[in-house]
Amino acid sequence: MSVSDAHREALRLDLLERAGLKDADRASLPGDASTRRYERVTAADGRSFMLMDQAPAAESPPCDPAWSPEERKAKGWNAVARLSAGRVDAFAAVAGQLRAAGLSAPDIPALDAPQGLAVLEDFGDDLFARVIEAGQDETPLYLAAVEALARLHQTPTPDVLEGPAGDWPLLVYDETALQGGADLFVEWLPKLEPRLSFDDAAITDWRKAWAPVVASGVAGASVMAHRDYHAENLIWLPERDGAAQVGMIDFQDAVRAHPSWDLHSLLQDARRDVPGDVEAEALEHYFSLRPDLDRAAFLRDYAGLAALNEARILGIFARLVSRDGKPRYLNFMPRMWAHLNANLTKPGLETVARWFDRHVPPEVRA
């Protein structure tokens, strides 16, 4: 164990001791694409908790609301598009907002936000994805997830969230963040796919093509978005009632965004196939819960922002493979291409579709 690892372990032990869990059993959980790690902590009396560890030094700074777009770009990726930088104090503040809305976010019995540590309520292992794999009908789960979103979207969204580690600004998923995310595609796909090359003119056209979608996303930024709302981050809690049956985790990057953002993250998932009839039924359910919405305008924004997000995710996966040596993300890319190709046929995306036709051969888009 290195000196830095030993120091980090000492901090973890200190928090566990303060939580009355000094002698608890600990088991590390598999990691994901982030710098965050989790352990399941089981006390002698059988109570189970999660230890979340997000070392602040492992990430570039979060976005300061006062920074200009140029300052954000100079500060690094988190300031451009991730905004909270995964901070534990952001997680705690978002959790409080979710619980205040009657939704299920983990309680936090112990917290050391400056060191990036928290002891969380353990929702168990019944991730939507695992429950569905085990044979449970997916439609009721997706409808419940939509009900939770509708509840969140009908809850007033403050500009500043109050949390146990202090106030946290709920920043808008704005032009800098949306376009910065889309730009990952033109930055990283050529590093993975040698048949692709985008010159300055192509990149300028890329940004012009996405500009109307970005503008709609900013204009419609009216609700708190989880920002990573999918079947691997939702836990089935059938003993609870209504929308609270959907346990939410990994929401530390929440922002104020268009209400379609979490919907397309859920229904056009990068990690599993959601049948088209389930997506259609889930959207109908959402509209039934929010009858005030302009359905045609909403669906246009849904397709546009979904396409932008899919381009963003393809860029992220290309970066994970080419820079970080994680080839397993290649397995997810055909699904994202399928979603993107389908969305590019929708109204309002004609200019983006023409850009892809000019610059990305069909054989790459598969």
Side-chain angles (χ1 to χ4, degrees), residues 19 121 138 271 315:
E121 177 184 6
E138 63 194 314
R271 296 161 184 80

Side-chain angles (χ1 to χ4, degrees), residues 158-183:
D159 293 329
V160 177
L161 306 178
E162 297 179 0
D167 293 345
W168 189 268
L170 188 68
L171 298 183
V172 175
Y173 207 39
D174 62 5
E175 179 179 358
T176 300
L178 288 166
Q179 189 63 61
D183 285 352

Side-chain angles (χ1 to χ4, degrees), residues 100-145:
L103 301 171
S104 290
D107 287 326
I108 306 174
L111 179 67
D112 184 351
Q115 298 298 338
L117 294 166
V119 174
L120 311 176
E121 177 184 6
D122 185 0
F123 281 162
D125 293 321
D126 286 340
L127 293 169
F128 275 33
R130 304 292 86 77
V131 169
I132 294 167
E133 287 170 0
Q136 188 155 335
D137 183 2
E138 63 194 314
T139 301
L141 298 181
Y142 278 98
L143 296 182

Side-chain angles (χ1 to χ4, degrees), residues 164-251:
D167 293 345
W168 189 268
L170 188 68
L171 298 183
V172 175
Y173 207 39
D174 62 5
E175 179 179 358
T176 300
L178 288 166
Q179 189 63 61
D183 285 352
L184 291 175
F185 182 94
V186 290
E187 179 180 0
W188 287 98
L189 261 293
K191 294 178 172 62
L192 179 67
E193 175 50 72
R195 288 173 290 183
L196 297 182
S197 177
F198 309 127
D199 60 18
D200 289 346
I203 293 173
T204 296
D205 289 343
W206 166 264
R207 291 171 179 159
K208 288 179 179 177
W210 285 113
V213 175
V214 170
S216 294
V218 176
S222 57
V223 303
M224 187 169 85
H226 178 295
R227 263 268 279 127
D228 207 10
Y229 197 76
H230 57 75
E232 300 279 355
N233 277 343
L234 303 176
I235 299 175
W236 186 232
L237 304 172
E239 70 282 2
R240 302 191 181 190
D241 295 325
Q245 292 181 311
V246 181
M248 301 184 192
I249 58 174
D250 282 2
F251 43 69

Side-chain angles (χ1 to χ4, degrees), residues 13-59:
L13 288 170
D14 179 66
L15 182 66
L16 290 172
E17 182 173 7
R18 285 188 274 137
L21 296 167
K22 179 181 178 182
D23 297 320
D25 290 332
R26 297 165 60 188
S28 295
L29 299 183
D32 57 12
S34 74
T35 57
R36 192 168 50 255
R37 54 168 287 180
Y38 290 95
E39 296 180 19
R40 174 162 280 131
V41 180
T42 306
D45 61 6
R47 291 176 303 141
S48 180
F49 302 89
M50 301 298 294
L51 175 63
M52 182 168 68
D53 183 350
Q54 173 65 73
E59 293 282 349

Side-chain angles (χ1 to χ4, degrees), residues 279-301:
E279 179 182 15
E281 186 173 351
L283 286 171
E284 284 298 320
H285 191 47
Y286 182 77
F287 289 129
S288 75
L289 296 169
R290 300 200 66 197
D292 55 312
L293 292 176
D294 180 331
R295 178 189 296 246
F298 190 94
L299 288 175
R300 184 176 59 249
D301 291 344

